Amino acid sequence: MTQTGLHHSGAADPEELGGPRRGLLLLMAVATGLSAAGNYIAQPLLDLISHDLRLGSVLAGLVVTASQAGYALGLLLLVPLGDVIDRRRLAVTLFLATAGFLGVSALAPSGPVLLAGTVLAALTSVGAQVVVAHAAALATAATRGRAVATVMSGVLLGGLLARTAAGGLSELGGWRTAYWVLAALMTGAAVVLHRRLPYLAVTADLRYPALLRSTLSLLREESVLRRRALLGALSFASYSVQLTALTFLLAGAPFHWSAPAIGGFGLVGAVGILSMTLAARLSDSGHVQLVTGGATALLLTGWLILLAGERSLVWLAVGVVALNIGQQAVLNSSQTILFALNAEARNRINSAFATSLFLGGALGSALASVVWAAAGWPGTCALGAALAAGAVAAWAWDHTRPST
């Protein structure tokens, strides 16, 4: 029996609350940032881990791949549970599980144990996406874009800051320190979320196999979801080309930057995250399609700017900021539309959309490595621009189609 529109005793009603308060949203943003950070802390530590555990370069590189694989599985297998289980309880459970698996990685005596801990921590780190969907459910229609933008900014900042923080913590006590500190912070976040997150009634009553099948069915039934999934995959593929190729560019001539310096340059992208609030306000004001169209155009323009950045840090920085603003605006405007589609299936919709983003990002990163080897920075910019042009075309298609 579906529990649509029913609120158990003590359940929060978004319309009565007027949406979540700013303090609660900031708390949720910090929590999601910590959860996302676990998927990135290994990247600047691979050399230290490799020496300590006597891993070959291939096995060390698998740590990053394991994190990606675990996260993808979590998006598919765990995020939909938010529609049939109390989201607060699910989020807290996933945060505690992530903390435990980070502890396994911190104690790892060998490569296989580290890989196991990494996969499991990434699998449960999708608790961040459960919190994002909870923020959307708590918000009213007039504030949903801003609520989602605030919480998603934590996810994105967590990914950006994790590399820098992990490198600094490793200087204090070795690579395991970063894992221990994050495990402790995740435990604290779970306790605070348990105390502060409002309870919302479960929206559906489905057995687990039916729940997974319904996630796939939503892609077939919801044309808006299909179009936004395609748009999101193309835009994130374009964005991921930059993330991968930028490392190659800054490590070589004429820059010859060290790994910590390259990681620090990535913080330039934080400017794009700060722009999410403006995009969200425009989306909440009824201009969501305009926001998406402008964002995809900015992605394409950003690649033209980046082409001039092959030997200029100024143009490189401007291009990176443009891509970050464009990508975050595509993400926020899409989630604003999708979270309004079906209140009973928000987690399943988010699962389908986030999985499409992840697949697009993986494709973009893989293509960037191949194209860089064959055609260098100009070829990489052409690849990124082509994917961004595809996103523009996907938006134009979505814009001309019915909203149902």
Side-chain angles (χ1 to χ4, degrees):
M1 177 179 176
T2 302
Q3 298 171 341
T4 309
L6 297 179
H7 291 269
H8 296 268
S9 177
D13 187 327
E15 297 300 330
E16 292 177 2
L17 295 176
R21 294 181 178 178
R22 182 73 175 172
L24 176 60
L25 287 175
L26 292 176
L27 167 64
M28 296 166 80
V30 171
T32 57
L34 291 172
S35 187
N39 295 323
Y40 298 94
I41 59 171
Q43 292 182 6
L45 307 176
L46 289 180
D47 188 57
L48 294 173
I49 292 172
S50 179
H51 281 89
D52 185 38
L53 299 182
R54 295 184 176 87
L55 307 180
S57 58
V58 174
L59 189 57
L62 283 177
V63 174
V64 175
T65 304
S67 181
Q68 294 173 333
Y71 189 72
L73 285 174
L75 289 173
L76 287 170
L77 302 179
L78 298 181
V79 171
L81 287 170
D83 289 332
V84 295
I85 297 176
D86 170 21
R87 286 196 201 100
R88 178 179 59 184
R89 185 175 63 184
L90 177 61
V92 169
T93 300
L94 290 175
F95 271 60
L96 288 174
T98 302
F101 294 135
L102 286 168
V104 170
S105 295
L107 291 169
S110 63
V113 175
L114 177 65
L115 286 174
T118 298
V119 169
L120 293 171
L123 179 78
T124 55
S125 72
V126 296
Q129 293 297 333
V130 174
V131 174
V132 171
H134 199 67
L138 285 170
T140 62
T143 62
R144 185 167 293 123
R146 278 167 284 176
V148 171
T150 300
V151 180
M152 277 300 299
S153 67
V155 175
L156 301 166
L157 279 172
L160 282 174
L161 297 175
R163 300 173 180 88
T164 303
L169 288 170
S170 69
E171 293 290 326
L172 297 177
W175 66 268
R176 299 176 192 271
T177 304
Y179 284 88
W180 282 124
V181 169
L182 185 55
L185 291 173
M186 286 291 291
T187 302
V191 172
V192 175
L193 287 176
H194 176 69
R195 292 178 176 175
R196 294 290 307 278
L197 274 188
Y199 169 75
L200 288 177
V202 173
T203 57
D205 184 10
L206 293 170
R207 294 186 182 276
Y208 186 64
L211 183 72
L212 296 184
R213 287 195 301 270
S214 70
T215 302
L216 298 176
S217 296
L218 283 167
L219 274 170
R220 183 177 65 252
E221 297 164 1
E222 296 281 2
S223 60
V224 174
L225 174 57
R226 288 198 304 275
R227 296 195 297 268
R228 283 284 161 169
L230 174 62
L231 194 160
L234 287 167
S235 67
F236 199 55
S238 176
Y239 178 73
S240 297
V241 168
Q242 170 256 148
L243 292 178
T244 300
L246 193 63
T247 299
F248 297 143
L249 178 68
L250 292 175
F255 303 108
H256 299 293
W257 281 21
S258 65
I262 294 172
F265 186 81
L267 295 179
V268 169
V271 175
I273 297 172
L274 298 177
S275 70
M276 285 183 72
T277 301
L278 174 59
R281 288 183 180 277
L282 289 171
S283 294
D284 286 339
S285 300
H287 303 294
V288 66
Q289 285 287 5
L290 179 63
V291 170
T292 307
T296 55
L298 188 58
L299 277 173
L300 182 56
T301 304
W303 278 110
L304 300 178
I305 297 171
L306 282 173
L307 184 61
E310 187 172 14
R311 295 186 176 277
S312 169
L313 278 177
V314 173
W315 286 117
L316 201 61
V318 172
V320 167
V321 169
L323 257 66
N324 272 274
I325 292 176
Q327 172 56 30
Q328 308 324 328
V330 168
L331 177 61
N332 180 255
S333 59
S334 294
Q335 287 184 311
T336 299
I337 289 173
L338 295 175
F339 281 136
L341 279 181
N342 186 344
E344 297 179 21
R346 283 196 176 108
N347 284 271
R348 282 167 283 167
I349 288 172
N350 194 34
S351 171
F353 178 67
T355 300
S356 71
L357 251 71
F358 178 88
L359 293 175
L363 175 64
S365 295
L367 289 175
S369 298
V370 173
V371 172
W372 173 269
W377 185 249
T380 301
C381 289
L383 170 64
L387 291 168
V392 173
W395 166 77
W397 177 45
D398 180 58
H399 188 44
T400 59
R401 303 297 295 176
S403 59
T404 57

